[in-house]
Amino acid sequence: MLAMTYRGPYKIRLDHKPMPDIEHPNDAIIRVTRAAICGSDVHIFHGLVPDTRVGSTFGHEFTGVVEAVGSSVQNLKVGDHVLVPFNIACGACFYCTKQLFGNCDNTNPNSTVGSGIYGYSHTTGGYDGGQAEYVRVPFADVGPMKIPPDFNLEDALLLTDVVPTGYQAAEMGEIKEGDTVVVFGAGPVGIMAARSAWLFGAGRVIVVDYLEYRLEFVKNYAKCEVVNFREHKDIVQYLKRMTDDLGPDVCIDAVGCEAKGLKWQEISGIKMKMQAGSATAIMWAIDSVRKNGVVSIVGVYGPPFNTVPIGTALNKGLTLRMNQANVKRYLPHLIEHVRAGNLDPKAIITHRVPLEGVVDAYHMFDNKEDDCIKCILIPPS
Ligand code: NAD
Ligand code: ZN
């Protein structure tokens, strides 16, 4: 089958790989109908996620048709159209029973399979992902959800990650009625977080990025204010001035770590040298949010250590919340929001590319070329 494979930092290619097999009675094999490229794939493409092995296939956002099921699978049958949350979760452990699928510990005594994330290094299980013609889906009764017949396939695809992630970012912000929410990052996740913030009662939503085409999009899509941080010498002071000198009530980091070398940053009046894989957006979030405010982090930090001004956060009495999205927890709710027109996921898709074009698609998305917001891959049918 065709699959993208990782060859080393900034290097991927399209390969032929053996078809995946049922390895466990709880597995299913899915024929992929759509797969998306995510900002998280960019971190792993940059080589920032430890133990990413040559030959592995990325892709944690995909829909498909069930091709085969293991002997224990109850909820799926061959031919079902499914969307597959990016979390691989056992459904039975302490965390899964609390719907914290992103934190699955897999203590399921009947399983020899671990929890993880599709196509996201051996740090998160070493499973191949869905940027391929077929993919193996462990715990097939837990993650996959049948796509409702009235539901658009592209909307379903975006429910596997960016919609629930943006929504959870807003939820973790503990937004109170009338709060001012600043979202750092106008990528797919930030766009969804901005739109979701209104659903939690925000009174004002401001999105910060430097890519004008994305700011223009989110201004219309999420009916929010936008700020281009490159137009301001001190973005933290500018955000404070915009918010009665207090700072926003809630800041959301929808950016994550950066691969762009060493540079000097001034945070809270202190100059620090930042490492590759560093964290400008989270610094700005901690610095600009008002005292006793909340910083909600969904941006991914691949390296285990990043420089974060914890002393500033302590002195300001901040609440810091962060997690991988617990995708399945939100699906029934989000399907209703999409049906009601409160969220319009597929509107963020700017590029639809055959799987064979995956290499160029990664470079385009990484370099933010051709006004790309979200790029999806279509395997040959
Ligand atoms: P993306 O790369 O398309 O968007 C990131 C945006 O941030 C870009 O528009 C970029 O210009 C902007 N940006 C860069 N530096 C900035 C800064 N200092 N301040 C403000 N904006 C800045 O990525 P995406 O798909 O939207 O994903 C965003 C983040 O969310 C990534 O880190 C991704 O790994 C993470 N993510 C997390 C989860 C989760 O479960 N926690 C799920 C999906 C994605
Ligand atoms: Zn993703």
Side-chain angles (χ1 to χ4, degrees), residues 39-40 43 161 188-189 209-210 214 254-255 284 298 300 323 325 368:
S40 298
H43 302 313
D161 183 345
V189 172
D209 203 300
Y210 70 97
R214 288 186 168 200
V255 178
W284 287 347
V298 285
V300 158
N323 210 348
K368 313 296 184 237

Side-chain angles (χ1 to χ4, degrees), residues 6 20 73 78 93 107 118 155 194 248 256 287 294 313 377 381:
Y6 177 72
V73 175
V78 171
C93 71
T107 50
Y118 293 97
D155 283 334
D287 236 18
V294 180
L377 301 166
S381 46

Side-chain angles (χ1 to χ4, degrees), residues 116-128:
I117 298 176
Y118 293 97
Y120 216 69
S121 84
H122 278 67
T123 304
T124 60
Y127 296 99
D128 268 345

